[in-house]
Amino acid sequence: MAVLKVDKLSKSFGGINAVSDVSLSVEKGEIIGLIGPNGAGKTTFFNLLTGIYTPTSGDIFYDLNKTVATKDLKPHKIIHFGIARTFQNIRLFQKMSVIDNVLIGFHHGLKYGVASALFRLPSYYKSEKNTYEDALQLLAKFDLLDKKDELSKNLSYGDQRRLEIARALAAKPKLLLLDEPAAGMNPKETKELKELIKWIRECFDLTVIVIEHDMSLVMEVCERIFVFDYGTLIASGVPEEIQRNERVIKAYLGEEE
Ligand code: ATP
């Protein structure tokens, strides 16, 4: 079952075709890699998927907890549609504690209304208590429980990246978009991240799309890979196919030159 379909999607900025006529689909439960040289259009593609940019042309359809089409994709709404993302540059609330960062992730799912919050009705306390317990559980799963009261800015880079993923998962998404999660990680952290991505897919019953430059991560973790170059989708397939693909090799060699 396809959870995401993209049809002839394009986005241009002035004369630059950042994403050009891209069509693809993603099946439920897949871990997809999105790769390509610098400036290939990968982040622009995520920004289109999450409503940050409006397409110049083409369509996006999600079939997660309800059908969503391009016109409904607004950044502040995507979380309600079951889509969560992390960013290339970590976006945590640096001066807030680890647990508070995760609690914010749960925020959209809270069940009490304004009156309950204002007058501190029982439903408010029940919901807050459940949320706090859920946040503790999530931190335990990410091995961050003993750091729950630390300011997020004091965590190691790897821990900050994992906290950002934990916060995204607090919103209970069906589709998780990870933008360069291994960026800045040391080899040990990258190795752990590979296991973490596979584990969260199983544990949270997710579909995952990951943009990544670390080829060992992409080849070991992703079941299917899409390759962008100059905004176009130049190849798609399983890792072995992509590694042998002449066009892909050329795109990357061109980058090195
Ligand atoms: P990287 O791997 O370096 O992060 P990328 O594949 O994510 O690159 P994008 O950031 O999507 O590439 O950029 C694709 C192209 O679109 C680049 O030429 C970039 O300069 C251009 N671009 C992206 N966003 C904008 C914008 N807001 N305004 C103008 N041009 C943009």
Side-chain angles (χ1 to χ4, degrees), residues 41-77:
K42 306 177 297 292
T43 297
T44 303
F45 185 69
F46 266 18
N47 286 338
L48 289 165
L49 292 185
T50 50
I52 291 175
Y53 294 150
T54 309
T56 307
S57 59
D59 290 303
I60 302 163
F61 299 100
Y62 285 109
D63 195 359
L64 295 158
N65 42 14
K66 53 182 149 180
T67 306
V68 187
T70 319
K71 64 175 173 42
D72 305 316
L73 290 171
K74 302 280 180 292
H76 61 285
K77 276 192 189 169

Side-chain angles (χ1 to χ4, degrees), residues 40 65 117 143 228:
N65 42 14
D143 224 6
F228 280 22

Side-chain angles (χ1 to χ4, degrees), residues 90-106 132 135-136 139 144-155 159-160 162-164 166-167 170:
I90 297 173
R91 293 192 190 176
L92 288 170
F93 295 100
Q94 295 285 335
K95 291 184 183 163
M96 285 170 72
S97 67
V98 166
I99 184 103
D100 282 344
N101 268 278
V102 173
L103 285 169
I104 282 173
F106 280 102
Y132 192 79
L136 291 180
L139 287 178
L144 288 168
L145 194 54
D146 57 338
K147 298 177 180 145
K148 73 178 173 56
D149 297 319
E150 284 187 32
L151 294 185
S152 68
K153 68 174 181 182
N154 293 337
L155 295 185
D159 279 350
Q160 289 194 31
R162 287 184 308 117
L163 176 58
E164 207 192 11
R167 187 181 60 185

Side-chain angles (χ1 to χ4, degrees), residues 108-144:
H108 90 282
L110 292 179
K111 294 282 182 284
Y112 57 79
V114 176
S116 295
L118 274 177
F119 300 110
R120 297 289 194 264
L121 300 178
S123 60
Y124 165 82
Y125 286 109
K126 187 160 176 272
S127 192
E128 286 288 316
K129 184 167 171 283
N130 291 346
T131 303
Y132 192 79
E133 278 162 13
D134 288 349
L136 291 180
Q137 274 186 24
L138 195 54
L139 287 178
K141 282 180 174 163
F142 278 76
D143 224 6
L144 288 168

